[in-house]
Amino acid sequence: MNRVPIGVLVSGGGTNLQAIIDASEAGRINAEVKVVVSNNPIAYGLDRARRHGIPSAVITKESFTTKDSYDAELIKTLNNHGVMLVVMAGFMRILTPAFVAAFPMRIMNIHPSLLPAFPGLGVQKKALEYGARFAGCTVHFVDAGVDSGPIIIQAVVPVHDGDTAETLSRRILVEEHRIYPQAIQLFAEGRLHVEGRRVFITGGQPVEGSIANPPVTISDE
Ligand code: GRF
């Protein structure tokens, strides 16, 4: 089966990029990273690409006068590498409607909260401050809004009393590295169908049961 050519957009450390590269190299996903693009010339994600022999490009905002001309260059770079699916992995820019239209339902993002709770930045700290008992992460298709597109997968983690934003972020990141490759694989298998806001998954297994935090310890009788 042909592997889906993907382009990964990063701005920083790129641990999600690494999880995707590892899954691809191990044959766990039927997708291949064709190019890594960063808006930040010193993003560690660029080193990760280099180490795996993956072409990379740096597109800095200083070289462009408008967001549209920036995104036009981004589209050109991705198309030059034959990218079918755009994967945002910590890319700290909001895409223009023109970019979103160039890859309709072919852009994914990962966000470290259970959307629609806590869109935007610094969300692990916000979940803690709010007193949420559960946090987590969301992989979603990208639409013209911020963290607002149809949801593909979510993973839930408990918030512990002793958590800091760092410990909670680490717990969430473990799940990010599991669900992002999974979402890409579902796309590669052609199993994602978007109807309005809902994403239906062909052959998806329903999740049974529920969890409470703290666990329920009183009996029903
Ligand atoms: C992750 O927390 C992701 O959810 C958010 O940005 C962070 C990127 O981390 N969008 P990394 O660069 O993949 O390590």
Side-chain angles (χ1 to χ4, degrees):
M1 211 155 54
N2 283 344
R3 308 190 90 197
V4 174
I6 62 181
V8 183
L9 310 184
V10 301
S11 298
T15 64
N16 278 287
L17 166 67
Q18 189 68 54
I20 293 162
I21 294 172
D22 292 346
S24 172
E25 287 185 349
R28 282 184 281 121
I29 59 174
N30 195 28
E32 188 174 341
V33 183
K34 292 293 190 187
V35 64
V36 171
V37 184
S38 174
N39 61 333
N40 168 12
I42 60 165
Y44 188 63
L46 292 167
D47 294 297
R48 296 182 191 273
R50 239 168 264 133
R51 241 181 290 135
H52 290 267
I54 298 168
S56 61
V58 176
I59 308 179
T60 58
K61 73 168 191 292
E62 289 72 26
S63 321
F64 299 87
T65 49
T66 63
K67 278 177 167 251
D68 278 316
S69 56
Y70 183 100
D71 277 12
E73 179 66 20
L74 196 52
I75 293 169
K76 199 171 89 190
T77 305
L78 294 165
N79 282 336
N80 282 346
H81 289 86
V83 166
M84 256 278 295
L85 175 67
V86 181
V87 174
M88 298 175 73
F91 189 60
M92 301 300 282
R93 280 182 68 86
I94 295 167
L95 300 171
T96 57
F99 186 96
V100 175
F103 295 93
M105 292 303 151
R106 289 193 287 121
I107 311 167
M108 287 184 186
N109 182 42
I110 190 151
H111 181 75
S113 81
L114 294 173
L115 290 171
F118 310 117
L121 296 175
V123 296
Q124 300 93 336
K125 184 161 176 277
K126 284 181 189 159
L128 269 184
E129 286 171 356
Y130 192 89
R133 288 275 178 195
F134 287 105
C137 48
T138 304
V139 178
H140 62 93
F141 283 117
V142 172
D143 63 10
V146 176
D147 300 325
S148 62
I151 292 172
I152 301 166
I153 311 188
Q154 294 185 303
V156 177
V157 302
V159 177
H160 295 163
D161 284 353
D163 268 336
T164 61
E166 287 68 36
T167 59
L168 181 58
S169 298
R170 274 204 293 278
R171 194 173 308 121
I172 294 171
L173 210 49
V174 170
E175 298 306 315
E176 293 187 30
H177 300 161
R178 283 155 38 93
I179 68 171
Y180 219 174
Q182 162 97 347
I184 293 167
Q185 179 59 9
L186 288 170
F187 179 94
E189 290 172 354
R191 292 171 60 191
L192 301 176
H193 306 281
V194 183
E195 283 178 35
R197 282 214 47 85
R198 297 191 65 189
V199 178
F200 294 90
I201 300 176
T202 310
Q205 300 290 318
V207 175
E208 304 292 350
S210 58
I211 53 170
N213 179 24
V216 177
T217 54
I218 54 168
S219 84
D220 284 345
E221 284 127 45

